[in-house]
Amino acid sequence: VAALCLCMAVPVLAQPKGGALMTMDVFTPIAQGYDFVREGKYEAAKNEFQKAVKADRYNPFALNNMAVLEEREGKLNDALANLKDATTYANQYLDKVSQTCFAGGGCLAVKPLRELAEKSQIAPIVKENIAKLEAKIKATGTAPPPVTPPPMMPPQKAKQP
């Protein structure tokens, strides 16, 4: 019986943390980071969002908010990459959105609320931010990130006399 319980528990551990309220170790830095954004303390906000991503790699709230800060810094490709990562499990995150704000760019930062919604409230915001950012990238002529790294050249051997 114990082996059966263990086998049944393993797939649950491998699933993203969405579908229920975020754990406090993820929620708290996102909420604090959002407050820092509102106060104009962008570096402190970025540190908080990074803490949340470390605890929950594809958390759409944290990734969205990191993208907002990167857009503000002119790092449009990095921002777009974070927003695309945010879509990975965004539909499974049912935490309500309590507030949104602009941080000097076109994308919206979000603050989660410790209440469950019937469906994801963050997913449509992430999609909207992707559309805004893609339009901005096109309008500014920002070069896309390299698709593949340049080939590595083996070191040249010294010629023997």
Side-chain angles (χ1 to χ4, degrees), residues 126-136:
V126 170
K127 287 179 185 174
E128 180 183 338
N129 282 345
I130 288 173
K132 288 178 181 178
L133 196 54
E134 286 176 337
K136 185 174 185 176

Side-chain angles (χ1 to χ4, degrees), residues 86-159:
T87 65
T88 304
Y89 300 113
N91 287 324
Q92 297 177 29
Y93 283 77
L94 302 180
D95 303 76
K96 287 186 177 180
V97 172
S98 74
Q99 295 179 23
T100 60
C101 74
F102 291 101
C107 295
L108 284 172
V110 294
K111 184 174 186 177
L113 181 65
R114 298 268 320 146
E115 291 180 18
L116 284 176
E118 287 186 31
K119 64 180 187 172
S120 176
Q121 293 183 348
I122 186 63
I125 293 171
V126 170
K127 287 179 185 174
E128 180 183 338
N129 282 345
I130 288 173
K132 288 178 181 178
L133 196 54
E134 286 176 337
K136 185 174 185 176
I137 287 171
K138 185 176 180 181
T140 60
T142 302
V147 177
T148 57
M152 293 185 59
M153 302 299 292
Q156 298 291 327
K157 293 184 180 182
K159 292 184 181 180

Side-chain angles (χ1 to χ4, degrees), residues 51-64:
K51 285 180 197 175
V53 169
K54 187 174 181 180
D56 184 2
R57 169 63 184 94
Y58 291 100
N59 183 287
F61 287 87
L63 290 168
N64 178 80

